Amino acid sequence: MSLTIKVLLGVLLGIMLGLTINLMGLNTSGYWVKEYIVDGLFLVVGKMFINGLKMLVVPLVFFSLICGVCGIGNINTLGRVGGKAFLLYLMTTAIAIVVAITISVSAGLGDGMVIESESGFSAKPTPPLTDVLINIIPSNPIQAMANGDMLPLIFFAILLGISILLVGEKAKPFIQAAEIANEIMMKMVMVVMAVAPYAVFVLISRSIAELGLDLLSQLAGYVLVLVGALFFHLFVTLMVVLKLFSGLNLRTFLRKVRGAQVFAFSTASSNATIPVTLHAVIQRLGVNNSVASFTVPFGATINMDGTAIMQGVATVFIANLYGVELGMAGYLTVIMMSVLASIGTAGVPGVGLIMLSMVFTQVGLPEEGIGLILGVDRLMDMIRTSVNVTGDAVVSTIVAKSEDSLDMALYDDFYTGAVDTSDLHIGSK
Ligand code: ASP
């Protein structure tokens, strides 16, 4: 059985087991199932796997960016690739939130509804834009790596790559070393992925066991509109953008990003999914490493279409619940804030809620409103992270196509890496 199938099986079995545990009420404190399985074994194995993925992110991004910059070999091209990616990321996020607000307003979401507040949400402040800009340049690159801060890490690696190019001939051995290191890191991704089906199984079991169905039905309107808007963005907006800008076959694309989507769903973190996204974008879609090494980690940090959609839907929902009239100016503020907030925050679980509290403060909505949607947020986070990661892959593919850095033979090969994941088997090759 191929790894992809095993992972999908892990998702399915995880949902089934999670639901069983929840429906039988075994996830209440005092039960051994909760103490030893859900909060014991599942928690440990799941967290170990996510740590395993995160462990790869910094060295992988670092080495692959050095190789990427040296591969591009020209500072002008580098600027062009960066500019295109940045504009496309902003554009898709802006479309996402406009569509989300439109759908929620026309569905009359939250009109005439009253729900008991769950509260319990305390907002952490989001970094102000000035800090985001200043901190792009790391005062200490090692510290940025240690903290896993993406933008300063990207900045340092790009500058290092440029300096290597400027040194020229003498720096060749360094480039070779970086290339070897990059290959080793890619291999390490495979090693970690070997346990993915089991990890995905426990991660999803645990989320579903904790969440259950009650909350979902209580917040059915919010969940339905949000999921609808997320799917619309995934299958309509992003696909139209991909078709318009690249003319590529959409079915092939969707098939090849499936793996990255599943990991984004299981981990609820675009950052932790970077190794898998890079693998899908380079090895399956055929994007040249020089483009992908830049666009993928960049996208994981600044591009959050799904998160923006959640903010649009949540704002309309809470505003209606509390009877606040936002008006055009209010909505425009929401759009701007969400786009800006997605630039400054990293793709880690739950960060969307922090951004949401910033949006609420800005437009004068009560922050405790966030408490209402808190219960279902984990599941929504899983879905929106898949959308975020798909957006990263779409933009990477468009930029690569426009730069003539897309291996068309690899892209057009419908089956490459999609079903046969023999490249994921450790050792034998
Ligand atoms: N978990 C999301 C991500 O990593 C961010 C969020 O919406 O909370 O992309």
Side-chain angles (χ1 to χ4, degrees):
M1 214 192 294
S2 82
L3 191 74
T4 318
I5 303 286
K6 278 194 203 157
V7 168
L8 286 175
L9 214 61
V11 174
L12 272 183
L13 292 176
I15 293 178
M16 277 156 57
L17 181 66
L19 271 182
T20 314
I21 293 179
N22 186 280
L23 292 177
M24 290 174 68
L26 298 176
N27 196 41
T28 15
S29 40
Y31 275 107
W32 66 271
V33 175
K34 178 165 176 66
E35 310 247 308
Y36 297 106
I37 307 288
V38 178
D39 286 347
L41 185 71
F42 285 4
L43 178 84
V44 172
V45 174
K47 285 245 154 97
M48 281 170 84
F49 178 69
I50 293 188
N51 275 357
L53 282 177
K54 284 195 192 154
M55 160 184 90
L56 304 169
V57 172
V58 170
L60 186 60
V61 168
F62 183 66
F63 289 119
S64 81
L65 256 177
I66 295 177
C67 297
V69 174
C70 295
I72 288 185
N74 175 321
I75 298 171
N76 287 338
T77 319
L78 192 68
R80 212 174 51 230
V81 168
K84 279 184 196 170
F86 187 65
L87 284 181
L88 281 167
Y89 281 141
L90 286 194
M91 187 189 83
T92 46
T93 308
I95 299 179
I97 179 149
V98 171
V99 170
I101 292 179
T102 315
I103 294 181
S104 327
V105 170
S106 22
L109 184 59
D111 272 344
M113 251 175 96
V114 188
I115 313 181
E116 280 294 301
S117 170
E118 264 199 22
S119 201
F121 178 76
S122 57
K124 277 186 245 142
T126 30
L129 194 62
T130 42
D131 281 5
V132 172
L133 289 176
I134 295 170
N135 292 335
I136 288 179
I137 301 181
S139 58
N140 179 346
I142 306 293
Q143 194 178 34
M145 286 186 201
N147 294 339
D149 293 336
M150 275 308 167
L151 289 182
L153 171 63
I154 293 175
F155 181 87
F156 181 71
I158 291 180
L159 202 59
L160 186 63
I162 293 175
S163 310
I164 293 172
L165 286 178
L166 292 176
V167 170
E169 197 50 42
K170 211 166 157 193
K172 279 265 161 67
F174 197 94
I175 301 182
Q176 271 168 356
E179 275 165 0
I180 296 170
N182 191 29
E183 207 177 316
I184 295 173
M185 287 314 300
M186 280 288 195
K187 207 56 180 179
M188 210 191 269
V189 175
M190 304 297 144
V191 177
V192 173
M193 295 303 268
V195 296
Y198 313 100
V200 164
F201 168 70
V202 301
L203 281 169
I204 292 191
S205 295
R206 182 156 190 275
S207 299
I208 303 282
E210 302 228 300
L211 184 71
L213 291 177
D214 305 354
L215 267 171
L216 280 188
S217 57
Q218 211 187 72
L219 289 169
Y222 170 72
V223 169
L224 276 182
V225 172
L226 178 50
V227 173
L230 286 170
F231 275 95
F232 183 86
H233 190 73
L234 185 64
F235 291 110
V236 181
T237 310
L238 284 179
M239 291 305 107
V240 170
V241 169
L242 181 62
K243 194 76 192 175
L244 272 182
F245 284 94
S246 72
L248 291 165
N249 184 308
L250 303 179
R251 236 183 105 214
T252 313
F253 177 87
L254 282 173
R255 181 188 180 92
K256 294 184 177 191
V257 290
R258 204 169 50 197
Q261 287 169 337
V262 171
F263 280 92
F265 182 78
S266 322
T267 59
S269 166
S270 325
N271 262 20
T273 312
I274 288 176
V276 191
T277 318
L278 269 178
H279 181 262
V281 167
I282 298 172
Q283 255 109 321
R284 296 183 178 175
L285 290 167
V287 173
N288 195 303
N289 177 55
S290 56
V291 171
S293 67
F294 174 67
T295 54
V296 169
F298 192 44
T301 316
I302 74 155
N303 182 51
M304 294 185 194
D305 299 355
T307 308
I309 290 174
M310 179 277 275
Q311 290 174 39
V313 177
T315 310
V316 175
F317 181 56
I318 304 292
N320 280 344
L321 277 187
Y322 284 85
V324 179
E325 192 60 58
L326 280 180
M328 206 52 193
Y331 287 126
L332 280 179
T333 315
V334 175
I335 294 169
M336 251 181 57
M337 295 298 292
S338 312
V339 175
L340 289 180
S342 69
I343 298 178
T345 38
V348 293
V351 79
L353 285 182
I354 300 173
M355 289 155 67
L356 189 61
S357 73
M358 180 169 110
V359 173
F360 274 24
T361 321
Q362 197 71 29
V363 293
L365 282 176
E367 243 176 38
E368 79 235 26
I370 296 179
L372 292 174
I373 52 171
L374 205 58
V376 289
D377 196 68
R378 175 68 190 192
L379 186 64
M380 298 300 108
D381 196 3
M382 291 157 79
I383 305 178
R384 69 179 181 250
T385 308
S386 308
V387 176
N388 290 347
V389 164
T390 313
D392 302 343
V394 165
V395 170
S396 304
T397 310
I398 294 176
V399 173
K401 179 82 197 317
S402 75
E403 288 290 323
D404 229 353
S405 299
L406 188 71
D407 182 342
M408 282 311 291
L410 192 59
Y411 184 95
D412 285 333
D413 182 353
F414 191 63
Y415 293 101
T416 309
V419 175
D420 172 27
T421 35
S422 52
D423 56 337
L424 291 183
H425 293 300
I426 318 158
S428 53
K429 261 198 338 179

